[in-house]
Amino acid sequence: MAIPAVLAIVPIGVLFILSGLIVNLMQVVSFILLRPISKKLYRKINKVVAELLWLELIWLIDWWAGIKVELYVDSDTFQLMGKEHALVICNHRSDIDWLVGWLVAQRSGCLGSALAIMKKEVMFLPVIGWSMWFSEYFFLERRWTKDEITLKSGFQQLEDFPMPFWLALFVEGTRFTQAKLMVAQEFAASRGLPIPRNVLLPRTKGFVSSVSQMRSFVPAIYDCTVAVPKNQPPPTLLRIFRGQSSVVKLQIRRHPMQELPETADGIGQWCKDVFVTKDALLEKYFAKGAFSDQKLQNIGRPMKSLIVVLLWSCLLGYGIFKFVPWSALLSSWKGIAFSATFLVLIVIVMQILIHSSESERSTPLNITPQDQTKERLVQK
């Protein structure tokens, strides 16, 4: 039975925001005191600290909503996951693709060193965006003249990363919607390209830059394909807060970096070909129900995220229990008004986080002026 959203958002929001602010404070302190002395030590400590926050979101998937993630990957790749650097590319099918990636990273032991290339606005999201900044996520302005410099600088910083990392790149540049698909199909038809039915056309500039800059120290590309069964609504953060379960299917294929072409045009075409293959896989799945020929792996449901949430709940609950009578917060109208205002702010912040994840609020694909905008759909 679905839980009314507000009944879940308030207590979960209090837990997430308060614990997140503590995590952010710990990140600030370690960034100021440790990073100038030892970047390696800072990164190792930040991995542990960031997971204290991010595991709460894993708990939401695993234990609160009971989202079932089916992972299809060959056994050799499954054994390598979390033990090597990897560039991760994926279709952007649902609102929680990034959370699915975090869940798989957590199962592989590299949640705290999971990175992503994201739009700059995410950096300013309260708590979660700040934690990503301290964890060295890449934030782009969607202006290639600036973003190219940001990417090159970020890739150089990753060369001495002291533990296996995953760098995620959603090369479609935005989340999938039917409206965006129509624009992509029109562009593909006008250029004689394969017409997509289940993915958008990849923007290859960022991918080409990633491969060119990192192929010397990143051994593999993890080619991920996400699908949600047609007979159920796609998972969203709001549905997760309501405790509504769903199934997400994820296939991963490992491509050795050395097998990619050397030229920029060749790398870009390789990326486009991969998305044609993704489209065919999804078309077959939606038509016949057969998703992958890879092995379905058992990724379990570890207790770690549950333990972290219980520890945070006990710590914050004890702190609130002691603080309220000490401050006499509820013994005056001013105190009651302050408490009510605090809860309203919690709800607002959580609404901001939920709305920022919704597909309808992702980057639009405008078509005015028509030819110029269509050209921006694929950046060669």
Side-chain angles (χ1 to χ4, degrees):
M1 179 181 296
I3 300 171
V6 69
L7 295 182
I9 287 175
V10 172
I12 293 175
V14 170
L15 173 69
F16 182 74
I17 299 301
L18 292 182
S19 63
L21 291 174
I22 294 173
V23 166
N24 291 157
L25 179 60
M26 295 168 67
Q27 290 179 306
V28 169
V29 172
S30 61
F31 183 85
I32 294 173
L33 298 182
L34 293 180
R35 187 178 172 87
I37 300 173
S38 173
K39 186 166 67 173
K40 180 179 180 180
L41 178 61
Y42 164 78
R43 283 168 160 171
K44 288 186 174 182
I45 291 176
N46 184 75
K47 177 183 186 294
V48 176
V49 172
E51 286 186 355
L52 292 176
L53 175 65
W54 298 351
L55 279 168
E56 294 180 43
L57 298 175
I58 302 300
W59 169 80
L60 278 175
I61 294 179
D62 273 343
W63 296 93
W64 182 259
I67 302 292
K68 183 180 180 182
V69 176
E70 297 180 356
L71 176 62
Y72 297 82
V73 59
D74 67 81
S75 297
D76 291 339
T77 299
F78 189 59
Q79 292 300 317
L80 284 172
M81 288 167 56
K83 299 179 177 66
E84 63 177 353
H85 298 329
L87 174 63
V88 181
I89 60 173
C90 188
N91 61 314
H92 212 346
R93 186 77 191 186
S94 77
D95 292 357
I96 65 161
D97 293 338
W98 59 282
L99 268 181
V100 172
W102 273 10
L103 182 142
V104 176
Q106 188 262 334
R107 302 297 200 268
S108 303
C110 59
L111 172 60
S113 55
L115 312 173
I117 299 173
M118 311 184 79
K119 59 184 180 181
K120 191 174 182 179
E121 292 82 354
V122 175
M123 180 174 64
F124 302 105
L125 291 176
V127 176
I128 188 69
W130 304 337
S131 71
M132 290 175 174
W133 186 88
F134 285 113
S135 299
E136 302 181 70
Y137 275 55
F138 295 37
F139 297 101
L140 305 183
E141 299 183 20
R142 299 184 185 274
R143 287 186 289 177
W144 182 244
T145 53
K146 289 189 175 182
D147 291 342
E148 184 178 19
I149 298 172
T150 300
L151 289 174
K152 287 183 177 180
S153 174
F155 297 146
Q156 291 172 1
Q157 293 293 319
L158 291 180
E159 287 190 51
D160 60 352
F161 208 84
M163 65 206 90
F165 68 80
W166 291 358
L167 178 63
L169 172 62
F170 292 101
V171 292
E172 291 163 301
T174 186
R175 276 160 287 183
F176 181 94
T177 66
Q178 288 299 321
K180 295 170 188 175
L181 177 62
M182 291 177 62
V183 176
Q185 289 175 331
E186 187 179 352
F187 176 84
S190 69
R191 294 303 177 91
L193 301 172
I195 298 177
R197 296 174 60 86
N198 307 282
V199 297
L200 305 180
L201 298 176
R203 300 177 174 185
T204 59
K205 274 189 177 181
F207 178 75
V208 170
S209 179
S210 302
V211 172
S212 300
Q213 297 292 322
M214 296 197 300
R215 68 189 313 157
S216 63
F217 62 94
V218 174
I221 292 175
Y222 291 173
D223 169 21
C224 302
T225 305
V226 174
V228 178
K230 273 191 170 182
N231 62 353
Q232 63 177 264
T236 65
L237 271 183
L238 186 58
R239 285 180 55 82
I240 289 176
F241 279 119
R242 287 173 173 164
Q244 295 174 307
S245 183
S246 59
V247 176
V248 178
K249 296 177 180 290
L250 174 65
Q251 174 187 272
I252 299 179
R253 291 188 182 275
R254 182 184 185 275
H255 302 279
M257 189 73 80
Q258 62 187 15
E259 293 183 358
L260 268 70
E262 295 287 341
T263 66
D265 288 344
I267 296 170
Q269 187 59 51
W270 184 92
C271 181
K272 295 173 186 177
D273 292 342
V274 163
F275 268 76
V276 171
T277 303
K278 285 182 189 297
D279 195 32
L281 170 65
L282 292 170
E283 184 67 19
K284 178 182 177 182
Y285 170 61
F286 292 135
K288 300 181 179 180
F291 178 62
S292 174
D293 58 0
Q294 301 293 303
K295 182 179 179 181
L296 175 60
Q297 301 289 346
N298 179 18
I299 60 174
R301 187 171 65 163
M303 297 286 292
K304 189 174 183 180
S305 64
L306 179 60
I307 292 172
V308 167
V309 168
L310 290 174
L311 289 175
W312 274 123
S313 299
C314 292
L315 177 64
L316 295 174
Y318 178 78
I320 293 172
F321 177 76
K322 288 292 186 180
F323 175 76
V324 170
W326 173 81
S327 63
L329 195 62
L330 301 180
S331 61
S332 68
W333 286 111
K334 287 184 179 180
I336 294 173
F338 174 83
S339 301
T341 301
F342 172 74
L343 293 178
V344 169
L345 288 175
I346 290 291
V347 172
I348 292 174
V349 170
M350 296 304 292
Q351 287 292 337
I352 291 172
L353 297 178
I354 291 171
H355 289 169
S356 69
S357 71
E358 294 174 346
S359 298
E360 291 77 8
R361 298 175 184 270
S362 58
T363 305
L365 295 180
N366 298 319
I367 53 173
T368 307
Q370 194 170 25
D371 291 338
Q372 183 179 1
T373 305
K374 287 178 184 176
E375 188 66 35
R376 287 200 297 269
L377 287 174
V378 281
Q379 300 177 12
K380 297 183 179 179

